[in-house]
Amino acid sequence: MGAYGLQTHIWNNNWKTVLLMAGFPVLLLLLTYALFLLFAGLTGTYYGNDPMTGYFMWAGDALAQAWPYAIAGAILWFGIAYAFYQNIIDAATGARKVERIAEPKLYNLLENLCISRGLTMPALRIMETDALNAFATGLHKGNYCITVTRGLMNTLNDEELEAVLAHELTHIRNADVRLLIIAVIFVGIFSFVGEITFRSLRWGVPSGGGSSRRSSGSSRDSGGGAIIAIVVALAIIAIAYALAIVIRFALSRRREYLADAGAVELTKNPDAMITALQKISGNSVVESAPSEVREMFIENPHSDFASLFATHPPIAKRIEALSKFAGGRVPAPQAQIPQAPSPRDPSKRGPWG
């Protein structure tokens, strides 16, 4: 399978990271304009004598004055998230950092993998939950981290646990982790703004109290222009939010196949990866984790229509790939062993003796 060595995947991730960084200001300005337009439509604030275009002119003028603050606010958001994302994830998942003295087996398994490839040892964290899952975080060398659940440690044997650690280590090596963290931060801004906007609309926003700087024309024309402005603003906000979602799901599900293959390359044991996935399947849900963090998990099951918004491929397909391309053996389902009849209680003999 040899997927870890697929340099094009790493280049592709780096290219997507640059694209996210470059495209984000455009989306942000578009969203800011939509918010001004929505405000203008709701409050009846516009320029000129033509309300059909006056709302758009007022929103454009407001954007011209406010864009530096919008960019500065987004940079501040990104800076805070960059500095504290691990603390935020720990607070959301309840994960805590562990050292060798506390979890020697887990620490040694990861350390051996890192030594074998000359990699810097990531930090280790544990989530105290019975669910079976794991994920990696980090933006650059020196602050990478791998988090596993207590249920995973208690259920998987050493070889399977090593395979999961190798899977997460491959995400770090392939730059998947950095791309996901940046995407989560950016998408979080649009999600926050979109949610605040629609919550405000649901609870009601004062309308008609604004002021026009020039003639406002007839109330009928003004009302029609306001409705158009509101509809256009909501459409832009919805498009910006949809693009953010597309970015989230455009982070290919292929990365999981590659990480599985990378784990096999590191451990030389496809069977362990297969049985680990079998044990994780159906037992991976961490209810307390936010959806943004679950996207980084080794398994994130979806039940929506046709799995259109799935962030992970089905485990059955991942096992099939490991079997077909990595030479793994899928254990046969264990046959139901008929239970031997319990020894008859001599005190309860039948009439036949």
Side-chain angles (χ1 to χ4, degrees):
M1 207 163 179
Y4 169 70
L6 195 60
Q7 187 65 31
T8 53
H9 177 71
I10 301 175
W11 291 339
N12 190 38
N13 277 346
N14 291 334
W15 177 81
K16 286 179 179 176
T17 301
V18 172
L19 190 64
L20 276 174
M21 300 291 286
F24 176 74
V26 177
L27 277 179
L28 179 66
L29 293 179
L30 188 66
L31 183 64
T32 305
Y33 177 78
L35 291 175
F36 281 126
L37 188 59
L38 181 63
F39 175 82
L42 290 173
T43 60
T45 305
Y46 62 93
Y47 278 163
N49 296 321
D50 183 6
M52 300 301 290
T53 59
Y55 293 103
F56 296 89
M57 293 172 60
W58 184 88
D61 184 65
L63 176 65
Q65 299 178 43
W67 72 265
Y69 302 100
I71 295 294
I75 292 174
L76 179 64
W77 178 303
F78 186 82
I80 293 173
Y82 185 90
F84 299 105
Y85 73 91
Q86 189 64 59
N87 303 76
I88 296 171
I89 291 174
D90 290 348
T93 60
R96 61 179 177 81
K97 190 175 181 180
V98 293
E99 302 291 348
R100 184 197 300 272
I101 191 171
E103 300 293 343
K105 184 178 77 171
L106 184 68
Y107 197 96
N108 290 337
L109 286 173
L110 181 59
E111 187 178 52
N112 289 338
L113 288 171
C114 293
I115 290 174
S116 69
R117 294 297 174 136
L119 301 174
T120 302
M121 176 84 174
L124 272 171
R125 282 177 166 77
I126 292 179
M127 284 190 293
E128 298 295 343
T129 169
D130 291 333
L132 276 58
N133 229 315
F135 65 97
T137 52
L139 287 168
H140 55 79
K141 185 178 180 180
N143 74 348
Y144 289 122
C145 175
I146 293 177
T147 303
V148 301
T149 64
R150 180 66 67 183
L152 192 83
M153 294 174 60
N154 291 340
T155 305
L156 271 55
N157 62 37
D158 288 359
E159 291 181 338
E160 293 163 347
L161 190 56
E162 183 185 48
V164 171
L165 293 173
H167 173 104
E168 299 305 332
L169 199 58
T170 303
H171 275 316
I172 293 174
R173 299 176 73 187
N174 286 354
D176 296 330
V177 174
R178 184 179 60 220
L179 178 62
L180 280 172
I181 290 290
I182 291 176
V184 165
I185 293 173
F186 283 173
V187 172
I189 295 178
F190 292 102
S191 299
F192 176 78
V193 173
E195 187 168 342
I196 291 295
T197 300
F198 288 107
R199 281 178 182 272
S200 299
L201 291 175
R202 189 176 64 179
W203 289 105
V205 175
S207 61
S211 60
S212 56
R213 297 186 182 181
R214 296 180 185 175
S215 172
S216 60
S218 70
S219 58
R220 182 178 178 182
D221 291 343
S222 175
I227 292 173
I228 292 175
I230 293 171
V231 170
V232 171
L234 291 177
I236 293 175
I237 293 172
I239 290 172
Y241 183 73
L243 286 174
I245 297 298
V246 168
I247 289 172
R248 174 186 293 182
F249 294 110
L251 304 180
S252 171
R253 293 189 283 269
R254 186 165 169 264
R255 70 180 185 272
E256 296 301 331
Y257 289 116
L258 294 175
D260 289 342
V264 173
E265 187 180 10
L266 282 173
T267 63
K268 312 299 182 188
N269 190 350
D271 297 350
M273 193 70 240
I274 289 175
T275 53
L277 289 174
Q278 287 178 324
K279 291 180 179 179
I280 290 170
S281 180
N283 301 294
S284 61
V285 177
V286 182
E287 297 287 355
S288 60
S291 61
E292 290 81 2
V293 178
R294 290 201 295 268
E295 291 169 16
M296 295 186 284
F297 282 178
I298 189 172
E299 164 63 352
N300 181 26
H302 267 255
S303 58
D304 50 54
F305 176 72
S307 297
L308 288 177
F309 299 103
T311 57
H312 289 58
I315 277 188
K317 290 189 176 180
R318 293 167 64 180
I319 291 175
E320 181 183 351
L322 286 168
S323 173
K324 186 176 181 180
F325 300 107
R329 294 171 298 176
V330 181
Q334 292 186 351
Q336 293 292 331
I337 302 174
Q339 294 185 348
S342 58
R344 185 178 299 169
D345 186 346
S347 64
K348 297 182 179 179
R349 294 176 182 275
W352 51 86

